[in-house]
Amino acid sequence: MNKAIFYKERIKIRRFYPLATAVLAGFTAYALLRIGRMYAFNGAASVWLAVLDRGDVLVDPLKYLPALVGAGLGLAQFLPEITQKRLKLTLHLPDSRRAMMLGMLGYGLVLLTMLFAVQLLAIGLYLRHLMAPELVHAVVSTTLPWYAAGFAGYLFAAWICIEPTWRQRLFDALIAAGVMRLLFSSDALRVCDTLLPWIAAVVLCALFFPLHSTLRFRRGCQD
């Protein structure tokens, strides 16, 4: 049963995922080449001073990209479940409904983790050639809320898609917008370091929102 579910998920995102990978790779290359140009034209001191004096993250063109990719993957994966009425059939399969939904969500989260991990690794390895490890750590840790927003965006998109009533969808969208705004509330270097455990807890809590909407869908809630 799990193989059939995963195959179905792969079919749904067969176009979006390669596109998201290409976009992520392109923007990452652009951001890193921009840093390399600064290093080549102005020297290593300019890169170091940008981080130390101005608090620049250096890879700020990538700030909203994980959130957009996460939300896009959530829509690509769960919007067809609603528009083509697949979810009702899925929930009637002879298997645990919670396990099936967690499997679908887990599939998307694993794919996002792969994308984000490769991007973060590329950023870290590239910056290590230009800056001290402490500065690399500062830049990388500052980007972690962006990736948390990517996971949250995915879960929020799934939550809103699965929710069976428009009134509740609007309420869910307002909550999602508020959380995403908080995740992008500051551009300062390492300002969110002490908040990372709380950010992780918020993302973990967001995992249960689609499960709640699935239960409401199963109960036949309507406007």
Side-chain angles (χ1 to χ4, degrees):
M1 183 64 68
N2 287 335
K3 290 183 179 179
I5 293 294
F6 293 153
Y7 178 76
K8 178 171 68 74
E9 300 309 303
R10 183 166 64 87
I11 291 297
K12 286 188 293 185
I13 63 171
R14 68 185 184 278
R15 292 188 179 90
F16 176 82
Y17 194 71
L19 176 62
T21 302
V23 170
L24 211 62
F27 273 85
T28 303
Y30 165 75
L32 297 182
L33 288 174
R34 193 181 70 155
I35 299 171
R37 183 184 304 171
M38 182 192 304
Y39 182 88
F41 289 165
N42 302 318
S46 64
V47 179
W48 287 48
L49 288 174
V51 178
L52 291 173
D53 287 355
R54 300 197 302 270
D56 288 352
V57 186
L58 298 179
V59 290
D60 49 288
L62 307 178
K63 181 175 181 179
Y64 298 103
L65 198 57
L68 293 174
V69 170
L73 182 62
L75 292 175
Q77 196 175 349
F78 289 96
L79 195 58
E81 294 285 341
I82 302 303
T83 58
Q84 300 176 18
K85 303 186 184 303
R86 298 177 183 175
L87 186 60
K88 184 178 294 186
L89 176 61
T90 301
L91 295 179
H92 280 84
L93 293 175
D95 203 350
S96 169
R97 300 181 186 94
R98 179 177 296 179
M100 284 190 293
M101 185 54 60
L102 285 174
M104 295 166 67
L105 292 170
Y107 185 84
L109 290 172
V110 167
L111 293 180
L112 281 181
T113 301
M114 291 169 55
L115 280 181
F116 295 164
V118 170
Q119 185 187 43
L120 199 57
L121 182 63
I123 293 171
L125 291 177
Y126 186 83
L127 292 181
R128 281 186 67 87
H129 293 288
L130 308 179
M131 299 187 301
E134 294 80 7
L135 296 181
V136 176
H137 177 71
V139 171
V140 169
S141 65
T142 304
T143 66
L144 293 181
W146 306 352
Y147 294 104
F151 291 116
Y154 169 77
L155 294 170
F156 287 148
W159 180 32
I160 294 169
C161 285
I162 297 170
E163 171 55 44
T165 67
W166 282 103
R167 183 183 303 175
Q168 186 64 36
R169 279 179 183 170
L170 178 60
F171 180 72
D172 296 348
L174 291 175
I175 293 177
V179 173
M180 298 298 280
R181 181 177 176 83
L182 288 175
L183 290 174
F184 292 116
S185 60
S186 177
D187 294 327
L189 200 67
R190 302 194 68 173
V191 72
C192 292
D193 278 9
T194 58
L195 299 177
L196 289 178
W198 295 102
I199 292 174
V202 168
V203 175
L204 183 61
C205 289
L207 178 62
F208 295 94
F209 296 164
L211 299 179
H212 176 68
S213 289
T214 302
L215 181 61
R216 286 172 50 80
F217 184 91
R218 176 63 180 164
R219 289 175 176 173
C221 295
Q222 297 179 354
D223 287 312

